[in-house]
Amino acid sequence: MSSATTHPPARTSCPGCDSLALGESLLLAQQPVILNYRFETAEAAKHVARRDMELRECNDCGLVFNAILDAAAIPYDDRYENRQNFSASFIAMLSETANTLSERYNLAGGAVLEVGCGKGDFLTLLCDRANAQGFGYDTSYEEGGSEANERVTFFQRYVTPADVTQKIDLVICRHVVEHVPDIGDFFRLLHAIATAGGGSAVYVETPALEWIVEHNAFWDVFYEHCNYFPTRTLRKLAEQAGFTVLQHRFIFGGQYQALELRPGEIDPAVTALHSQNGPVLRMFAESFVSSCSQVIARLEEAGAAQGWAIWGAGAKGVSLANALLTFPPTFVIDSNPSKQGMFLPGTGIPVIAPDDPKVARAPVILVANPNYISEIRATLAKQGFSPLLMPL
Ligand SMILES: [Zn+2]
């Protein structure tokens, strides 16, 4: 990968609602373009491609987006690895979501299509649970990535409405909309897929911008995510594409929002979008730099100068390591075996397993996701480690 600093001309209209009324901006210089990527050497990891990021906020629909995204710079191939299902808390959440969807949409004996299925783990879980047939589409799908299963068929490419030739009960789209540059068009594509499926219900899951702003979660802003949705924005973009909203709720301790939809008639009243809440980007921008130095100060106070680690080599952990580069962690711990022995994009910091004896060299461990603290404590106690776990 090159380290070119070029970017396309800045967008002058909102990719969600086409409005020209763009407000605040926040420049984040030279961000690694990919965090969920496996690098086999520290050198390759350090030389990950970088691009500037310019967040803009739409004054009409409230979408916060990267106005200078170079989408071609992000390699969503089979070395892209964003599975989080090596954690019991995460599996519990997936399992609950699968049960809820299976019951609410009577998926037993039915069919489910997933747009952006990753390695296919959630689709497989849901189809097993519901005894349903599954179709998963993702360019980062890896042959043999999910357990062989006669119920589920995977395609390593994007899906189009023409692919839908049978009745589909539910279309799933989890953690995809935050990656899609032309997001207004993407909701219209989802609508066309659901219509081709005979009026399928649609489940969309994505981070909630409210949580990021409320927690000053600077590590949750990174290049792979070109869109940040306040809840009202996600709902409005879906309605604008012709969906009727069935349910909209927070999940996973408020970090994510889950939106359930059904294709309906386009209501002309919602084409004129007006925000109800005030803009949020300015608040976030003001706290960005100070939050970063506060984390470093807390680490130093806790004795991290003797060695410290981040728990989790997912996007949050990698983003943190990059943001805290003036006081870098000794290593990152992750329970995903395919990340162990690899190096973090941007910093080249090594990833080790929770039962690696080197864990003892980090008396302080920073945990980005508070949902995992008790699980991590239990895992480390089993290995005889009792470091100070510092939640963010
Ligand atoms: Zn907009």
Side-chain angles (χ1 to χ4, degrees), residues 23 26 30 43 56 59 87 133 150 154-155 160 175 180 203 239 241 258 269 275 298 312 371 373:
L26 171 62
Q30 292 297 292
E43 269 315 290
R56 293 299 298 271
N59 285 341
S87 146
Q133 192 185 5
E150 71 283 358
F154 292 105
F155 305 87
T160 71
H175 301 272
V180 176
Y203 175 81
E239 287 174 341
S275 51
R298 282 175 56 209
N371 292 345
I373 286 266

Side-chain angles (χ1 to χ4, degrees), residues 14-19 21-22 58-63 65 233 237 273:
C14 170
C17 74
D18 295 329
S19 170
L22 303 184
C58 173
N59 285 341
D60 278 326
C61 74
L63 182 69
F65 60 97
T233 303
L237 296 184
L273 298 170

Side-chain angles (χ1 to χ4, degrees), residues 20-362:
L20 297 171
L22 303 184
E24 287 294 322
S25 72
L26 171 62
L27 184 73
L28 302 169
Q30 292 297 292
Q31 301 294 304
V33 297
I34 195 114
L35 302 182
N36 286 305
Y37 207 72
R38 289 172 294 187
F39 285 101
E40 286 166 19
T41 68
E43 269 315 290
K46 281 180 197 164
H47 289 104
V48 63
R50 291 173 184 271
R51 294 287 185 279
D52 290 344
M53 214 174 152
E54 188 193 351
L55 294 179
R56 293 299 298 271
E57 182 163 31
C58 173
N59 285 341
D60 278 326
C61 74
L63 182 69
V64 171
F65 60 97
N66 180 2
I68 54 174
L69 176 72
D70 178 6
I74 308 176
Y76 288 124
D77 59 29
D78 59 8
R79 281 165 71 197
Y80 185 78
E81 165 64 283
N82 69 342
R83 284 181 293 180
Q84 292 177 280
N85 42 331
F86 296 91
S87 146
S89 323
F90 198 77
I91 291 167
M93 184 198 67
L94 290 183
S95 185
E96 195 190 312
T97 304
N99 288 343
T100 306
L101 293 176
S102 173
E103 281 167 30
R104 189 172 295 151
Y105 297 108
N106 292 317
L107 297 182
V112 180
L113 186 152
E114 184 164 15
V115 181
C117 64
K119 312 287 186 211
D121 302 284
F122 181 73
L123 185 61
T124 304
L125 170 76
L126 176 61
C127 290
D128 280 349
R129 199 60 64 83
N131 192 23
Q133 192 185 5
F135 304 94
Y137 291 82
D138 202 303
T139 56
S140 77
Y141 177 72
E142 197 176 8
E143 284 303 326
S146 191
E147 278 172 49
N149 188 317
E150 71 283 358
R151 287 194 194 90
V152 189
T153 314
F154 292 105
F155 305 87
Q156 194 182 3
R157 59 178 173 84
Y158 292 114
V159 58
T160 71
D163 291 313
V164 184
T165 53
Q166 67 168 86
K167 182 177 185 299
I168 300 291
D169 298 281
L170 179 67
V171 173
I172 303 169
C173 190
R174 296 179 58 253
H175 301 272
V176 170
V177 293
E178 63 272 28
H179 298 261
V180 176
D182 294 309
I183 190 60
D185 290 343
F186 184 76
F187 271 104
R188 287 183 278 274
L189 171 71
L190 281 182
H191 188 274
I193 290 168
T195 303
S200 326
V202 175
Y203 175 81
V204 177
E205 188 181 300
T206 188
L209 183 55
E210 285 90 341
W211 192 91
I212 296 176
V213 171
E214 196 180 313
H215 294 80
N216 297 327
F218 57 88
W219 56 90
D220 273 344
V221 174
F222 45 86
Y223 203 83
E224 285 155 78
H225 289 182
C226 58
N227 299 317
Y228 300 84
F229 302 91
T231 48
R232 69 189 164 91
T233 303
L234 189 71
R235 185 181 184 126
K236 280 180 175 179
L237 296 184
E239 287 174 341
Q240 175 189 261
F243 282 110
T244 301
V245 173
L246 305 174
Q247 283 242 3
H248 193 187
R249 60 189 194 282
F250 287 115
I251 57 170
F252 205 45
Q255 289 188 43
Y256 299 157
Q257 51 183 319
L259 182 67
E260 292 174 40
L261 307 163
R262 181 82 77 180
E265 292 299 307
I266 292 182
D267 179 353
V270 300
T271 56
L273 298 170
H274 294 289
S275 51
Q276 285 145 17
N277 313 30
V280 295
L281 188 59
R282 173 180 285 273
M283 265 194 305
F284 183 70
E286 281 167 359
S287 68
F288 199 92
V289 176
S290 63
S291 310
C292 207
S293 15
Q294 274 165 24
V295 172
I296 293 177
R298 282 175 56 209
L299 280 165
E300 283 173 334
E301 241 168 71
Q306 292 169 44
W308 70 280
I310 293 174
W311 187 282
K316 279 174 197 278
V318 183
S319 180
L320 261 173
N322 277 290
L324 305 177
L325 203 54
T326 54
F327 188 62
T330 320
F331 44 76
V332 171
I333 307 165
D334 200 293
S335 43
N336 179 345
S338 78
K339 292 205 165 180
Q340 294 158 7
M342 300 287 166
F343 299 85
L344 296 194
T347 56
I349 289 164
V351 183
I352 66 172
D355 59 358
D356 189 312
K358 286 199 286 289
V359 169
R361 296 184 202 162

